[in-house]
Amino acid sequence: MGLNDGPIQDQHRPQPVDAHGLSVHQGLPGQIQPATLEEGNLFSGQPGFLTTRLDAVVNWARRNSVWPMPFGTACCAIEMMASAATRYDLARFGMERMSFSPRQADLLICAGRVSYKMAPVLKKIWEQMPSPKWSISMGACASSGGVFDVYSMVQGIDTIIPVDVYVPGCPPRPEGLIYGILLIHEKIKQSAPTSEDEWNAVDMLPETGSYLPRDVVDRITLPFGNSTNQNRSSGLVSTGAVVRVSDRSP
Amino acid sequence: MSNDGFKKGLDALDQGPAPSDAPADGAPPQAGGLPPHPTVDALREQFGPGVLRHELVAGDEHIVYVPAERILEIMGWLRDQQGYDFLQDLTAIDYGGGRMIQVVYQLWSIQRKTNVRVKCELPLDGLEIDSVYFLWRAADWMEREVYDMFGVVFRGHPDLRRILMPYNYAEGHPLRKDFPLRGRFSRAEQTRRALSMKTEDHYSPGELETAHMLGQSVPDPFNQAETADQGGQFGGMGGAG
Amino acid sequence: MALRRVVYNVTRNPELSAGGSLVHAPIVPVQGEAREVHEDFSGEHMLINIGPQHPATHGVLRLVLELDGETVIRCIPHIGYLHSSFEKLGEYRDWNQIVPLTDRMDYLAPLIYNCAYAMAVEKMMGITVTERCKVVRVILMELDRIFSHLLWLGTTGIDLGAFTVFLYTFQQREKIYDLHEDLTGARITTSSTRIGGMMADLPAGWIEKLEQFMTGFLPVLDEVDTLLTNNAIWIGRTQNVGGISGEDAVNFGLSGPNLRASGVPYDVRKDRPYYDYETYDFDVPVGEHGDIYDRYLCRMEEMRQSIRILRQAIDRLPGGPINIDDPRVILPPKTAAMNDMESMIHHFKVVMEGVRAPVGESWFSVESSKGELGMYVVSDGGSKPVRWRVRGPSFINIAALPHMIEGTLLSDVIAVNASLDIVLGEIDR
């Protein structure tokens, strides 16, 4: 929101390549290149008066009937269920039809921690969702690994699938999830469906199996501060009886 | 005040380590120094030197150390003669630093309402012990978990394979003290391994053999299109979530 | 068509490389446990896969079924899709820092886990908490038992097609969420106990709100009872389905309503009472047939008995401090810590070094809503555990699932799975 001047850079666009033919990741701030689109007539692929009116209608239809795919794994799934229940009703947004088949879903809500064993499932489900699709990473564990900076947890599902909105919290209150959903509605409102070329899937790099290169994955999954070296931080008193291996940095 | 014992414990911590009362030659402590427990006494009577040590912790929890070679007969005797029909827990402790790994069995007798904890110590180069699968079926998954997390092999278990980690997990046994918290590989490598799992990696060897004998290929667990016609009955819950 | 009998089983321990990865797993015939499959040339068995992402498996559980038409011949559950290594993480956290981890294991009854963990560490250290703390913890544990059974009722209803029950139970759960939030600040991840006491005492008006909830809850429970208990569809789908005998249940290590529905009257609150449970007047429902319907009846009655215990606990709630008095364990009150040097130093030490527990260990269990929840804590004299093991009841309960569903129909698999009341957080830990 407000980081670039042109239309919102969409992660589903084809990734530009550099001189070596490797795709250049464009997901991080500072690297965004706004697209330049010129006015044109209808069917030329450029936005014009009629196409923007059509865009508005299409976006209105899309955002008022988003069908979520609840990918609930842990505690956040309970809050997602609570937001679909009577007090924080999701039906007022047209979202009560939780589709458990990804083929009929628009919005993947990843609610809960994702382990490396579950990661291929998540990726497969994302791939099975037809475009247009959006994703919400609900909760701290899905956004960054949360409290679980351990050997078996994915440190943020954005290392595996592209994420549109992150909802912080552990678990986020249903109001928080609904705010995230409203941000998705805003994003849909500002998209330009009739002016885009194709909805391409993001590249899958063989070095990681996901759309991010190896060094980016390692950098965004670094631990925060001293969180994993606690055998030193509160080791002002150490009995020395049992030594825990101090943390290995990647 | 009932908190006296606890305050003495914390005072002892503040004072620091004190010389031990145990004999210097490593002989086990004398029997009978602790409050009696009917099972421990019966075990001593039945197995004699099979009871290596008897400890009392946390006020009323009795622990018996037994040698690993005799675990099956001792456990069988406990279940059949002493009525310990409920295996509450089966786990292991790694103290690190090359020390022995303790396999811990927590037993409860529903009829007699008594607990006992049995421990076996295994050296790191000999992490094998007999399985109690055929005594208590509860040991099935608990032993698989100890194998997965510590690398202890349970002889005689019909299906000893990893349970919590993926079947082709190559970083080792996580709950060992020499295993770092974040794993041995970098995050990018862990991601690559996770995302490059083939269909066969998701199945146990038994299922692969079953499929082979049935003349089928195993269903791709994550390809909904393949199982859509079979799974259609659960696919949508009437749109009601 | 001749029936050919095939006996096959994976019996040898798989051969593993030094790193633990699978190298070879041969099939050899075995004495003892072997599964017979009658292979009939006119029919064909089929392997299907349910999950791990599935609306009805209550989390990321994967079941591989070998079907003969609609009948389940074999079931192999696969778990580990939510393995968050709580136990390893606990070895790097202080005793009090583990309390937030316990919420996230059984997120349907977090206060039971908080209390069970604190009770295990207090037993290991030899701490006896104050009388008020005991009664407050009993209140919180029974409240969360109701909380968890309500969710079980709602999701089992949904799995078997009764959607209204889900809405009713979630509405009641919202009221318990409000109670959680008033007490601890969070709806689900409460983290309200500390070693030696609680994070905070009950706020003013909390008991009144609890009583209001209790008054409003029983009519709703009666209404759900009316909807389900004598309902022909419900009875048809749950009676004589997924049964397990008493001896098998004990041998499989089942606990909680799953065990009691099979006729075994084992309840930790009655057999190894803690926190004066022997002085409370309550009954424990025990079933007969071990099928889904008996488990349903047991859980419904347990909710009513929990209300009974809650009433008694509220009546006997004493005044007095909620935390014990030892500054080496419990944080001093903030006013003291800000005003006098000694309290400030105690505060510093407890926060920075953590509570230090003398060498020892303890295996302690409570009756959680899912079954017998055991916590095994081992200390080496420091502020972090050497080992923290959680005996999650659902882990053991789900291992008995194949035994319960072999021979039943495919549609019963979902019903039996729902009736076991599993939560994947404590299965996979």
Side-chain angles (χ1 to χ4, degrees), chain B residues 86-91 138 141-142 145, chain C residues 79 87 105-106 113 252-255 258 363-366 368 370-376 388-399 421-429:
Chain B
F86 194 73
L87 179 68
Q88 280 177 319
D89 203 4
L90 202 172
T91 181
W141 279 21
M142 294 204 264
E145 190 195 342
Chain C
I79 60 169
E87 299 179 354
M105 269 193 289
D106 181 0
Y113 262 68
F252 271 90
L254 291 187
S255 49
N258 300 321
W363 197 97
F364 183 75
S365 67
V366 305
S368 109
K370 313 277 183 300
E372 179 176 3
L373 164 64
M375 293 265 180
Y376 185 40
W388 168 46
R389 147 87 178 166
V390 178
R391 186 253 191 217
S394 303
F395 180 72
I396 315 222
N397 292 347
I398 196 75
D421 195 7
I422 55 170
V423 56
L424 263 294
E426 80 182 358
I427 293 181
D428 287 340
R429 276 164 286 120

Side-chain angles (χ1 to χ4, degrees), chain C residues 115-334:
Chain C
C115 290
Y117 169 73
M119 286 153 80
V121 178
E122 284 155 8
K123 177 143 198 275
M124 175 182 71
M125 292 174 71
I127 297 175
T128 313
V129 290
T130 63
E131 287 306 313
R132 182 175 172 89
C133 183
K134 282 187 193 171
V135 179
V136 166
R137 283 187 182 174
V138 165
I139 291 177
L140 295 180
M141 285 199 278
E142 294 303 322
L143 184 66
D144 265 23
R145 190 184 314 278
I146 298 176
F147 190 54
S148 165
H149 284 334
L150 278 176
L151 183 119
W152 168 82
L153 198 53
T155 50
T156 304
I158 265 201
D159 282 350
L160 295 178
F163 182 59
T164 314
V165 172
F166 172 79
L167 292 176
Y168 286 174
T169 55
F170 263 70
Q171 200 172 35
Q172 293 305 306
R173 288 185 86 235
E174 286 289 337
K175 303 197 164 71
I176 302 187
Y177 276 145
D178 285 341
L179 288 169
H180 280 179
E181 204 174 5
D182 285 342
L183 175 64
T184 65
R187 285 157 51 106
I188 290 186
T189 49
T190 49
S191 308
S192 76
T193 56
R194 298 286 180 266
I195 311 302
M198 306 283 292
M199 165 187 88
D201 205 339
L202 302 177
W206 196 86
I207 294 288
E208 284 74 34
K209 273 189 89 162
L210 176 63
E211 284 171 345
Q212 263 177 3
F213 160 72
M214 281 160 48
T215 342
F217 169 66
L218 279 174
V220 175
L221 194 60
D222 291 334
E223 188 156 355
V224 173
D225 207 11
T226 322
L227 281 177
L228 292 179
T229 308
N230 291 318
N231 183 321
I233 302 176
W234 186 260
I235 292 181
R237 285 209 66 178
T238 58
Q239 274 196 355
N240 291 324
V241 174
I244 185 168
S245 70
E247 299 105 46
D248 279 347
V250 170
N251 199 259
F252 271 90
L254 291 187
S255 49
N258 300 321
L259 178 65
R260 292 194 282 277
S262 301
V264 180
Y266 172 45
D267 184 325
V268 184
R269 294 173 293 175
K270 291 282 193 195
D271 291 333
R272 276 194 314 277
Y274 46 89
Y275 284 5
D276 305 326
Y277 260 104
E278 65 271 18
T279 59
Y280 289 89
D281 182 28
F282 69 104
D283 300 317
V284 170
V286 175
E288 275 178 57
H289 310 275
D291 56 6
I292 304 179
Y293 192 64
D294 277 6
R295 288 179 213 135
Y296 157 77
L297 290 177
C298 279
R299 288 193 179 103
M300 293 291 278
E301 186 56 32
E302 270 185 20
M303 285 197 261
R304 293 181 203 279
Q305 296 299 321
S306 286
I307 295 281
R308 208 167 143 193
I309 300 177
L310 277 174
R311 290 225 164 89
Q312 295 168 52
I314 291 176
D315 286 337
R316 71 165 76 179
L317 184 63
I322 190 130
N323 293 333
I324 62 169
D325 199 18
D326 195 315
R328 290 173 290 191
V329 169
I330 278 282
L331 289 178
K334 253 320 199 264

Side-chain angles (χ1 to χ4, degrees), chain A residues 69-76 78-79 81-88 100 102 112-115 117-118 121 125 147-153 170-171 173-175 227-237 239-242 244-247, chain C residues 52-55 59-60 78-86 88-89 91-94 97 101 103-105 107-108 151 155 166-167 170-171 173-175 177-178 181 187-189 348-349 351-354 356 380-386 424-425:
Chain A
M69 160 104 217
F71 191 85
T73 46
C75 349
C76 280
I78 311 298
E79 286 295 52
M81 283 157 58
S83 62
T86 51
R87 190 185 269 192
Y88 308 98
F100 291 95
R113 47 193 187 261
V114 173
S115 67
K117 200 167 174 180
M118 194 65 184
V121 181
I125 291 202
V147 279
F148 300 107
D149 198 350
V150 292
Y151 56 88
S152 61
M153 283 283 124
C170 191
R173 284 189 63 108
E175 289 103 325
S227 68
T228 52
N229 273 329
Q230 284 231 337
N231 53 320
R232 289 209 303 272
S233 81
S234 37
L236 294 177
V237 171
T239 61
V242 179
R244 287 163 194 80
V245 177
S246 84
D247 198 49
Chain C
Q53 199 283 326
H54 189 282
V60 287
H78 295 260
I79 60 169
Y81 290 93
L82 197 60
H83 176 61
S84 331
S85 71
F86 282 93
K88 180 90 180 172
L89 196 52
E91 294 171 11
Y92 288 76
R93 296 284 177 269
D94 293 336
Q97 290 175 330
L101 293 181
D103 300 322
R104 286 146 176 86
M105 269 193 289
Y107 30 85
L108 307 177
L151 183 119
T155 50
F166 172 79
L167 292 176
F170 263 70
Q171 200 172 35
R173 288 185 86 235
E174 286 289 337
K175 303 197 164 71
Y177 276 145
D178 285 341
E181 204 174 5
R187 285 157 51 106
I188 290 186
T189 49
F348 178 82
K349 289 188 81 156
V351 170
M352 289 306 287
E353 292 175 6
R356 289 163 58 210
D380 63 337
S383 57
K384 291 194 246 298
V386 171
L424 263 294

